Amino acid sequence: MKKLLLYTLMGFCLIGSAQTKESKADEFFNDFKFDKAIVLYKQLAEKKNRPSLHVMQNLAASYFNINEYTLAKPWYEKLYRIQGREFGEGNIIKLVQCLKADNENNRADNLLKDFYTDKDRLHIIMTQKKYLDSLELEAEKYEVDNLAFNSKKSDFAPVQFNDKLIFASARDTIKSNGELYPWNKQPYLDLYITNENDGSYIPEKFLNNLESAYHDATLTFSWDGETVYFTRNYLKTKNKLNTNEDGLSNMEILRGTIVNNEMMNVTSLSFNSKNYSCGHPALSPDGRFLYFTSNMPGGYGESDIYVVELNTNGDVLSDPMNLGPAINTRGREMFPFIQDERIYFSSDGHYGLGGLDVFGSVIFSKTDYSMPMNMGKPINSNMDDFSFIREKEKGNGYLASNRRGGKGDDDIYRFSKVKPVECLEYSGYVLNKSTNEPIAQASLELSNSTDEQIHILRTDENGYYNLILPCNRTNNMLFFKAGFSRESVKIVTGENVEQPSTNNLIYLTPFESLIVKEGNVEKIKVDPIYFDYDKSDITPRAEIELEKVLFAMRNFPDIKIKIESHTDSRGTDSYNLQLSDARAKSTSRYLKTQGVASYRIESANGYGETQLKNKCANGVQCNEQEHLLNRRSNFIIVSKHGENNRINNAK
């Protein structure tokens, strides 16, 4: 079953004898009769040494759409050799999936590196790869079992409901008078319900009056189980499609209420349109937001994930909002599932094992998400893995997949944890070191001993954080927020579960507490840097103050400074200028030996007595305290650009 269920053909078009073979093939292709299109496209390709780009493109796409990835691969490869950069990101995604389906992972990785010239996009892909590679080094966390009720047709989109399991299936050969969906030659989808824990239970149709003659699939329930959102073809009547000007019936999301095992008060949601499809509805746990999949205009790829806000009655309050490029790609994103401020979804545009893979991302806000990370094996395979759901308490759940070894086209699998892998609950508060006030929305990055990214979260409005540390790890935690210093904590866990570690206080120093402003100039706040008389060597007393400079430079790695050294007026002008310059450069050398990169110190110059702060010029009698005011070293901040970007990108 094509996973998005975008279209249903209104009728069957007659093909006139006057048409050319290519136009016949195109008509089959546009009518989703890919098996017939393949026959004609192959004949056209075999007749010519170099078939047209159009024929090769549609032949590759036809194979891809019926999951014949091995047969699609050589045609995508030929196109890439001919077109180069003009091949397009959408085709690259498909070629990568074909390669991975054939376990040619190294070729797929090299293809990505060769194709992407956008360094930011390539960085995301390689970061996701690095994380997925780290999962390969760990023992698998789950066991995956094919469920007994799966049929030889497509079964997917499981939903838990009152200790039952509801799912979509194409097993009913009587539906729609035996008419088949032209895309995959299977019956149209309907919803079934079965006993969740009894594999011998025979699935039954869900609700007495829900079934239409065409697709009924993918649903989500309100918290009380009375309101349901589900996906169906646009219909004029129960047995007649409502089509657009191209003769296609797209999918829409409907809302209804369940009364006495029947669907009542069915209405179409306001954002639906005959010109595009909406499906795969998923409610947030509080019922305030409805996430869904659509190929509506203005998206990033073949299908994107959107969100709308709902009122307490389930009415739509806002226009659909695209989740943005952190989630959506040039490929397919679909089947959202929301739990514990996380969104799980399937994608073939993010870096994965092949086909659609399940990814997880932290929801910071409607417009802000962490980088999606692959769930790894055995949740994912080198084929399509999708419609992932999980239980809140135990973390077990269900997904669908067309991985090898299944019973049918798409099968439903149950996954359960192999054994406990979490050893320590670690929690506490992140506080402002200057004010002792909580820091809300501070970020916490957890990585293992080899610095592979594992998890990123944020503190709540009280500065509180809570996470579970895995067993047998050196767990490195980095706390940070824009405008504050960074603080790292290392916790080593063993094999056994430990007692929770609570009330761990983390103090971050605000940037403003480290600086002093003179007009528009910002300087790192230090006391006078003392040198021995007539010398420029760094003394132990000077090192104490320079630690303040090093603290600022280490915790705010995007700031750049210039060093200015000054003397009082005693001594000759030329001598003071030479001495102050030597001290400035000695200070610069010291900072560099402590790890400060050379490019972060823009200059180090002495100004002697040319910039006195008071009246104590040559010939003016002043006391020692007045002269001291002029003997100073300034560490002036010349650039701090990128600091906020660095923090934000670390999300």
Side-chain angles (χ1 to χ4, degrees):
M1 179 61 61
K2 195 62 178 175
K3 305 307 177 298
L4 193 55
L5 310 173
L6 285 183
Y7 312 111
T8 298
L9 192 64
M10 177 60 179
F12 297 97
C13 301
L14 295 175
I15 301 175
S17 59
Q19 290 179 293
T20 65
K21 183 174 291 187
E22 185 169 334
S23 65
K24 290 180 182 179
D26 289 345
E27 189 162 1
F28 283 138
F29 182 86
N30 294 329
D31 288 348
F32 317 126
K33 300 172 185 176
F34 299 116
D35 55 342
K36 294 182 178 180
I38 287 170
V39 173
L40 297 182
Y41 284 135
K42 280 184 64 179
Q43 292 174 4
L44 290 168
E46 291 168 356
K47 282 185 177 181
K48 299 179 180 180
N49 292 329
R50 183 170 174 177
S52 69
L53 296 178
H54 173 77
V55 167
M56 287 191 288
Q57 175 70 59
N58 280 11
L59 180 55
S62 296
Y63 279 126
F64 189 88
N65 287 334
I66 60 173
N67 298 335
E68 292 287 356
Y69 301 127
T70 298
L71 297 176
K73 180 179 68 174
W75 294 106
Y76 280 126
E77 288 177 321
K78 287 179 182 179
L79 281 169
Y80 185 47
R81 286 195 296 269
I82 295 170
Q83 293 181 297
R85 297 290 171 195
E86 296 180 2
F87 186 54
E89 187 176 6
N91 278 334
I92 280 292
I93 289 172
K94 289 181 172 61
L95 177 52
V96 166
Q97 305 313 325
C98 292
L99 290 169
K100 290 189 174 183
D102 272 357
N103 296 312
E104 296 186 64
N105 295 325
N106 289 335
R107 284 190 63 199
D109 291 344
N110 291 332
L111 177 65
L112 291 171
K113 293 175 184 177
D114 290 341
F115 179 80
Y116 282 104
T117 56
D118 182 343
K119 292 184 179 179
D120 290 338
R121 177 64 183 144
L122 186 59
H123 172 72
I124 292 172
I125 291 172
M126 290 299 104
T127 300
Q128 291 175 325
K129 178 185 184 306
K130 188 177 182 182
Y131 173 70
L132 186 55
D133 288 344
S134 73
L135 295 184
E136 294 289 324
L137 302 177
E138 301 177 4
E140 292 183 355
K141 299 178 181 179
Y142 300 97
E143 292 179 344
V144 173
D145 296 307
N146 190 299
L147 298 182
F149 61 75
N150 285 309
S151 69
K152 294 182 179 180
K153 302 295 194 299
S154 185
D155 302 288
F156 67 102
V159 174
Q160 292 174 294
F161 178 68
N162 294 339
D163 297 325
K164 304 287 186 179
L165 198 68
I166 300 170
F167 63 97
S169 178
R171 65 183 63 200
D172 187 354
T173 57
I174 301 175
K175 189 172 183 179
S176 192
N177 298 318
E179 184 177 321
L180 300 179
Y181 185 37
W183 193 308
N184 63 354
K185 303 299 183 183
Q186 291 190 26
Y188 288 92
L189 294 166
D190 207 353
L191 290 165
Y192 289 79
I193 187 167
T194 187
N195 191 313
E196 186 174 356
N197 299 313
D198 185 359
S200 62
Y201 188 88
I202 299 174
E204 300 174 352
K205 293 285 181 70
F206 176 59
L207 301 184
N208 295 330
N209 66 334
L210 178 62
E211 180 183 358
S212 71
Y214 294 94
H215 287 311
D216 299 285
T218 59
L219 75 169
T220 185
F221 290 93
S222 60
W223 65 271
D224 57 9
E226 294 182 358
T227 303
V228 61
Y229 298 81
F230 64 100
T231 308
R232 173 180 283 174
N233 280 108
Y234 265 92
L235 299 176
K236 287 184 178 180
T237 65
K238 186 174 182 180
N239 296 314
K240 187 174 182 180
L241 293 170
N242 192 354
T243 61
N244 60 21
E245 60 184 14
D246 295 322
L248 300 173
S249 174
N250 283 301
M251 308 299 293
E252 64 175 333
I253 298 175
L254 304 173
R255 186 188 71 198
T257 54
I258 300 176
V259 180
N260 296 326
N261 203 38
E262 290 191 346
M263 184 73 74
M264 309 292 290
N265 306 316
V266 175
T267 58
S268 176
L269 300 188
S270 59
F271 52 77
N272 289 313
S273 171
K274 289 194 298 183
N275 296 319
Y276 53 78
S277 281
C278 297
H280 309 165
L283 281 169
S284 60
D286 60 8
R288 290 180 55 205
F289 299 99
L290 180 71
Y291 294 78
F292 63 96
T293 304
S294 180
N295 63 341
M296 66 177 64
Y300 290 88
E302 292 188 29
S303 61
D304 285 8
I305 298 175
Y306 293 79
V307 62
V308 292
E309 190 169 358
L310 306 176
N311 65 15
T312 54
N313 296 323
D315 297 321
V316 176
L317 294 178
S318 64
D319 292 332
M321 177 181 292
N322 190 296
L323 299 198
I327 299 295
N328 294 313
T329 70
R330 182 64 180 81
R332 297 176 293 168
E333 280 70 48
M334 55 184 71
F335 291 100
F337 174 73
I338 316 301
Q339 187 180 87
D340 294 333
E341 297 184 349
R342 291 176 175 273
I343 179 170
Y344 299 92
F345 63 98
S346 288
S347 170
D348 61 6
H350 292 287
Y351 187 89
L353 297 172
L356 290 168
D357 274 12
V358 179
F359 291 81
S361 173
V362 179
I363 303 173
F364 297 138
S365 72
K366 287 191 297 183
T367 58
D368 191 7
Y369 302 84
S370 69
M371 184 185 298
M373 291 299 176
N374 195 291
M375 295 290 290
K377 296 178 181 179
I379 300 297
N380 291 316
S381 67
N382 67 342
M383 299 297 284
D384 289 329
D385 308 288
F386 57 102
S387 62
F388 170 98
I389 63 171
R390 72 188 311 170
E391 301 163 352
K392 182 175 177 61
E393 300 300 328
K394 297 181 180 179
N396 302 328
Y398 300 88
L399 77 151
S401 178
N402 64 350
R403 64 187 63 186
R404 294 176 177 89
K407 295 185 176 76
D409 182 5
D410 300 312
D411 284 359
I412 296 174
Y413 293 79
R414 176 171 174 81
F415 62 86
S416 53
K417 287 188 176 181
V418 175
K419 61 179 180 179
V421 293
E422 299 165 340
C423 277
L424 176 63
E425 180 181 3
Y426 191 89
S427 63
Y429 297 86
V430 179
L431 306 174
N432 185 318
K433 191 172 185 179
S434 297
T435 65
N436 214 38
E437 294 177 347
I439 302 177
Q441 296 297 298
S443 296
L444 191 169
E445 178 183 301
L446 173 66
S447 59
N448 63 26
S449 57
T450 55
D451 290 328
E452 301 288 349
Q453 182 175 308
I454 295 178
H455 184 52
I456 295 179
L457 55 84
R458 288 184 178 176
T459 59
D460 66 15
E461 63 272 15
N462 298 314
Y464 178 75
Y465 66 92
N466 180 286
L467 70 162
I468 306 298
L469 300 181
C471 305
N472 294 315
R473 288 288 188 85
T474 298
N475 301 281
N476 300 307
M477 290 174 280
L478 179 65
F479 298 83
F480 56 88
K481 185 176 182 179
F484 288 82
S485 63
R486 300 179 297 171
E487 187 68 25
S488 60
V489 175
K490 181 166 70 174
I491 302 293
V492 180
T493 53
E495 294 182 358
N496 301 317
V497 176
E498 304 175 30
Q499 291 296 318
S501 177
T502 60
N503 204 36
N504 294 287
L505 304 182
I506 305 296
Y507 293 93
L508 303 185
T509 302
F511 180 71
E512 66 224 23
S513 71
L514 302 177
I515 64 171
V516 61
K517 291 186 177 180
E518 291 183 4
N520 294 325
V521 176
E522 289 183 338
K523 300 187 294 185
I524 298 176
K525 188 188 300 183
V526 293
D527 291 330
I529 305 293
Y530 290 102
F531 294 84
D532 290 336
Y533 178 75
D534 199 30
K535 292 184 179 180
S536 59
D537 297 328
I538 301 298
T539 66
R541 293 179 66 192
E543 289 181 355
I544 295 173
E545 293 305 311
L546 289 176
E547 273 301 314
K548 299 176 182 178
V549 179
L550 288 170
F551 180 87
M553 300 292 281
R554 288 166 180 162
N555 281 280
F556 299 92
D558 293 297
I559 64 173
K560 298 178 183 179
I561 63 172
K562 62 179 179 179
I563 302 172
E564 295 182 353
S565 185
H566 304 269
T567 67
D568 59 35
S569 62
R570 291 174 293 186
T572 66
D573 292 359
S574 60
Y575 175 81
N576 285 337
L577 186 63
Q578 182 180 7
L579 179 61
S580 64
D581 194 69
R583 287 175 172 175
K585 289 177 170 53
S586 177
T587 301
S588 175
R589 286 193 296 272
Y590 177 82
L591 294 177
K592 291 174 183 177
T593 62
Q594 299 302 307
V596 177
S598 298
Y599 74 89
R600 298 182 63 199
I601 302 177
E602 188 176 90
S603 60
N605 297 312
Y607 294 86
E609 58 185 272
T610 62
Q611 296 181 14
L612 300 175
K613 295 180 70 66
N614 55 26
K615 63 180 181 178
C616 300
N618 291 335
V620 177
Q621 187 171 0
C622 294
N623 60 37
E624 180 60 31
Q625 192 63 34
E626 291 173 317
H627 281 303
L628 178 63
L629 187 62
N630 291 317
R631 297 200 305 273
R632 65 198 188 277
S633 289
N634 290 329
F635 302 87
I636 298 173
I637 297 172
V638 296
S639 173
K640 55 183 179 181
H641 296 300
E643 176 200 343
N644 289 337
N645 289 336
R646 177 187 67 81
I647 296 299
N648 291 332
N649 288 337
K651 297 173 186 174

